[in-house]
Amino acid sequence: MSITAAMVKELRETTGAGMMDCKTALKETDGDMEAAIDWLRAKGLSKAAKKAGRVAAEGLVGISSADGKAAVIELNSETDFVARNENFQKLVKGVADAALEAEGNIEKLNAASFPGSSKSVEDEIKDAVATIGENMTLRRVASLSVSEGVVASYVHSAVVENLGKIGVLVAIESSGDKAKLNDFGRKVAMHVAATNPLALTVDQLDSDVVERERAVFSEQARESGKPENIIEKMVEGRMRKFYEEVTLLKQAFVIDPDNTVEKAAEALGAELGTPVKIAAFVRFALGEGIEKEEADFAAEVAAAAGN
C-alpha cells in the first residue's frame, strides 16, 4: 500500500511521534492506522494511548431524575451558540424528562409525547429546527434504575441546572440513608466525569480492548530482551496497573485518593450498617466519537470576499 503524506500527518497529529517514525510505522503495518498507533506505542514512540480526534459536535447533554431512576440524553446542534439559546435549553430539558419512561431506547423516546405538548419528541425537535434555524439530532439516550437505593447524577460545565457538556449517572443499590447515598453517588459521578473509566469492573471490560493492551505490553516487554517467564510477569504487572486505571471500582477515588472507589463504597456501607453497591454508571460527553471536518477560516474569508 502506498503511504501518503496525509497519512503520515494524521498519525503524527494523533500520536505526537516523529515524522520518520510515523512513516516507518505505517510501512510496517501496511497503512493500517490503528495498527500503526499500536506499533508506535510498543516501541515507546507514541505520546497518545489511543486515537484522539477533535470533538466537534455541539449542543447539550441533559439529565432528568425521579425516585430510583434517572435518564441522560444528548441533543446535538450545528453550533455552540444554540446551547445558549433558552428555547433549545427548554427542548433538551423536555426531551430528558420524556426519557425517564423510554428505558434507554431512542426509538421509544422519539415516539414519546413531549411534556406539555400533544406532539411527539421527534416532531417537537423538527419544529425547533424550523424555529431556531439549525439542524438538530437526538443522538443517544440511556437510563439507570434501582429497586432500592438511588440513582445519583452530575453535570459538568452546566449552562443551567442539569444541562451541560458532560452528564453522568451512577446507580447505588442499598437500603441505607438516601441522602447519604445520594451525596456519595454524586461524588462518584463527579469522579466518573473526571476519569472517564471504560467499565465498572474488570469483567465488564471489552475483551478486544484487553487483548489489544496485552499485545502492546507484551511487545514492549520483549523489547527488553528478558526471558519469557520474566516477560510474562512484566505483562501481568502492567495489566494490573491498566485495570486500576480504567475500571471504576479499582480506580483511586478522586475525593479520597488513599482509597479506591470500591473501598470508599465499603466504608460508607460500614458507616450506614448496610451494604452499599455501585451497580452501574453512564457517562455522556458532548460530541464524543463524532468527527467534523475543521473549516479553513482564511479560505472561507477569501471565498466570501470573492477571491
Side-chain angles (χ1 to χ4, degrees), residues 160-202:
V160 293
E161 188 178 8
N162 291 327
L163 306 181
K165 301 291 186 182
I166 298 176
V168 180
L169 307 180
V170 175
I172 308 285
E173 294 179 352
S174 177
S175 60
D177 179 83
K178 285 192 176 182
K180 290 187 176 180
L181 291 174
N182 200 63
D183 179 65
F184 174 68
R186 179 174 169 80
K187 289 174 180 175
V188 174
M190 292 172 72
H191 170 101
V192 171
T195 63
N196 192 17
L198 297 181
L200 180 68
T201 66
V202 173

Side-chain angles (χ1 to χ4, degrees), residues 115-150:
S117 168
S118 59
K119 298 173 184 173
S120 67
V121 165
E122 184 174 25
D123 287 340
E124 196 73 26
I125 293 172
K126 286 178 181 177
D127 285 354
V129 170
T131 304
I132 296 174
E134 273 201 20
N135 187 34
M136 299 172 196
T137 305
L138 177 56
R139 185 183 175 211
R140 53 183 172 160
V141 58
S143 64
L144 293 178
S145 63
V146 292
S147 56
E148 188 174 44
V150 301

